[in-house]
Amino acid sequence: EDPGAIGPGGTREKDVVLKIAKMLRERINASTVSGNPMRAYMTRDADFFVPLHVRVQKARRVQADLFVSIHADAFFTPQASGASVFALSDGAASSSAARWMANKENKADLIGGVNIKAKSAEVQSALLDMSTTAQIVDSLKLGSTLLSEVARVGKLHKGQVEQASFAVLKAHDIPSVLVEAAFI
């Protein structure tokens, strides 16, 4: 339904990121942490569209410890190159490019609501704020680690984790990052 960015030679973002995701899944599934096997769960493993809020729901359903959204975008000018990592922002985007990218990605669909059980709206709001703040801190740590690893094998577009209000990163209880693997 949505090929995403399309490169000058016809390379489609959806094909590139699915291949990257499958390779990453293989590496994760072959890894352990403190002797415990890791298991990757993909929100899609074939060429079909998954709405943004459903991606978040799928991560929650499997009680994910981390959420990584992989992209390979295009930009206004062909000079843009390198990988970037984004975390959620609870305020303004960290740059105009981050704001532009979040607005572009968020147009895929609308994010679903968050289900926090509390009797009063004030308590519910406070719980959501605390959870979101913790998620952002953890996401920034995850993003920094990912940037360090990516820098070992390729060029970075930005040397620090950027922040913007990406709908797919709004799992308030799961550290989440969006990786722009490169520009098509």
Side-chain angles (χ1 to χ4, degrees):
E1 291 178 31
D2 178 11
I6 299 175
T11 305
R12 299 181 309 177
E13 176 184 13
K14 71 177 185 173
D15 299 327
V16 171
V17 298
L18 185 57
K19 187 168 186 158
I20 291 170
K22 287 180 176 180
M23 292 169 60
L24 182 57
R25 174 180 61 187
E26 289 175 20
R27 280 193 81 175
I28 289 171
N29 288 342
S31 301
T32 60
V33 175
S34 302
N36 297 311
M38 292 178 57
R39 183 175 57 91
Y41 177 82
M42 294 178 52
T43 58
R44 71 179 180 101
D45 58 3
D47 185 9
F48 58 88
F49 180 74
V50 178
L52 299 176
H53 74 282
V54 173
R55 298 173 200 186
V56 174
Q57 288 172 351
K58 285 182 172 201
R60 282 198 180 111
R61 193 175 314 124
V62 298
Q63 299 177 336
D65 294 313
L66 302 171
F67 183 89
V68 179
S69 184
I70 302 171
H71 298 263
D73 220 338
F75 201 63
F76 295 116
T77 63
Q79 290 79 21
S81 65
S84 302
V85 176
F86 295 85
L88 182 65
S89 170
D90 60 356
S94 58
S95 69
S96 58
R99 182 173 41 259
W100 178 84
M101 286 204 142
N103 288 337
K104 183 178 169 297
E105 294 293 339
N106 290 346
K107 287 182 181 175
D109 63 12
L110 300 174
I111 186 70
V114 178
N115 186 16
I116 291 182
K117 305 268 191 241
K119 292 191 182 209
S120 81
E122 293 82 16
V123 171
Q124 189 175 25
S125 177
L127 288 172
L128 181 60
D129 286 348
M130 288 187 297
S131 181
T132 301
T133 299
Q135 185 264 23
I136 290 172
V137 168
D138 290 342
S139 297
L140 288 169
K141 289 178 190 173
L142 171 61
S144 292
T145 300
L146 282 173
L147 273 178
S148 296
E149 292 298 315
V150 170
R152 292 174 37 188
V153 296
K155 180 181 176 189
L156 296 180
H157 183 67
K158 295 276 184 149
Q160 71 279 348
V161 179
E162 295 221 65
Q163 290 184 265
S165 188
F166 286 94
V168 76
L169 301 181
K170 291 186 178 181
H172 67 92
D173 50 349
I174 305 170
S176 305
V177 293
L178 186 144
V179 176
E180 286 290 346
F183 288 87
I184 292 211

